[in-house]
Amino acid sequence: MDRPHLVVLTRVAPVVLDRLREHARVTDVSELPRDAWGAALADAIGVLSSSNAPVDAAFLAEGPALRIVAMQSVGYDNVDVPGLRARGIVLTNSRGSLVEAVADLTYALVILAVRRLGLAMAWARSGRWMQADAPYGHDLAGATLGLIGFGAIGTAVARRAQASGMRVVYHTRTPRDDDATTGGAYRTFEQLLREADCVVTLVPLTPQTRGMFDDAAFAQMKPTATFVNAARGAVCDTGALLRALESGKIGGAALDVTDPEPLPPDHPLFARDDVVIVPHVGSATDETRTRMAMLAAENLIAFIDGKPLPTPVAI
Ligand code: 8YV
């Protein structure tokens, strides 16, 4: 009997491909142009994708035999969920496999933003240091970190912040019942914006969160406060962020994600010393990305073997 055909859409470690090939015929199209994927997708029963390989309606139309989409990512906002639901296609993600790496990167952005290290690096590189010391940043100790989204990654960021002496407040749709354990304190969105010295987004991109950081949101933040986006670029209105920085409504920003993404190198945000931008590298370590991809592979293998899926997404 023909072995089931799986297609890998994103770059993964060889060990992951080897693991999949123990159970299926595998085609890796990650190095091919998107318009060359059709031949492989024609009989594929499953794909391994990620946040930078959209599984949209056009993609689904090229995969008539598709039965499972396994994401090497937590987010799946680039997946046509209604399209999967209509065809009974199963979706899985890599939740739980990237928490510490993303929390490290997120807290690195907090430090960069609060201490104004983007400006300090530009000050040194530009030669201004030859004339004067760089402008001061702010202490982490005693400052308030405001987390929008307080799940596994948010609580891991909170641990890092509390180790630096930061107070942690958070906003979620419903308050958690373990604030005594996490050390976090629930705030409404508006309360958090007014209180936080650094606001961090860690929410999935949904119709409710898209554009939630707009002119009105930034206007409620302290003018000395900074903004960190470690969620999805479109959670923030990029024009509103630029206006808030230009008008002094906020003191700076550090971004792991942008809208659009990638952000063109001539974008005005790149020209600003009070903005640090990294190219969506929250989970981008050898160890974590391999762990994420292996979890996606184990979901595909479990599906082929008719066993319970490790990390299914209810759609
Ligand atoms: C990666 C992510 O950017 O997990 C997510 O949702 O955004 C990150 O882990 C990427 O999606 C992994 O390929």
Side-chain angles (χ1 to χ4, degrees), residues 10 49-52 72-77 94 98 102 231-232 256-257 261 280-284 289 292:
T10 189
S49 187
S50 76
S51 60
N52 42 33
Q72 183 225 14
S73 63
V74 173
Y76 50 91
D77 47 276
S94 300
L98 44 54
V102 175
R232 283 288 186 270
D256 183 40
V257 290
E261 184 170 309
H280 201 157
V281 290
S283 62
R289 284 289 174 86
M292 293 165 65

Side-chain angles (χ1 to χ4, degrees), residues 201-268:
T201 67
L202 288 166
V203 287
L205 180 61
T206 67
Q208 294 72 32
T209 64
R210 185 178 293 273
M212 75 187 296
F213 278 87
D214 55 13
D215 292 294
F218 288 120
Q220 295 178 68
M221 288 174 56
K222 299 176 184 176
T224 55
T226 50
F227 173 71
V228 171
N229 194 353
R232 283 288 186 270
V235 167
C236 172
D237 175 333
T238 304
L241 173 60
L242 191 55
R243 289 189 291 273
L245 292 162
E246 289 170 340
S247 62
K249 286 194 174 57
I250 64 171
L255 310 174
D256 183 40
V257 290
T258 59
D259 183 25
E261 184 170 309
L263 194 67
D266 63 350
H267 194 281

Side-chain angles (χ1 to χ4, degrees), residues 3-66:
R3 300 211 303 170
H5 187 201
L6 301 175
V7 177
V8 175
L9 310 180
T10 189
R11 176 166 54 101
V12 299
V15 66
V16 177
L17 295 173
D18 294 344
R19 174 67 178 138
L20 287 170
R21 286 181 172 128
E22 295 168 3
H23 295 258
R25 180 164 56 91
V26 179
T27 304
D28 178 2
V29 300
S30 61
E31 301 300 322
L32 298 179
R34 171 66 183 83
D35 60 10
W37 291 3
L41 292 174
D43 66 342
I45 65 103
V47 293
L48 193 161
S49 187
S50 76
S51 60
N52 42 33
V55 178
D56 53 19
F59 179 96
L60 294 178
E62 292 188 79
L66 267 181

Side-chain angles (χ1 to χ4, degrees), residues 272-290:
R272 299 189 60 88
D273 290 347
D274 57 359
V275 175
V276 170
I277 298 174
V278 291
H280 201 157
V281 290
S283 62
T285 69
D286 289 339
E287 301 83 2
T288 291
R289 284 289 174 86
T290 298

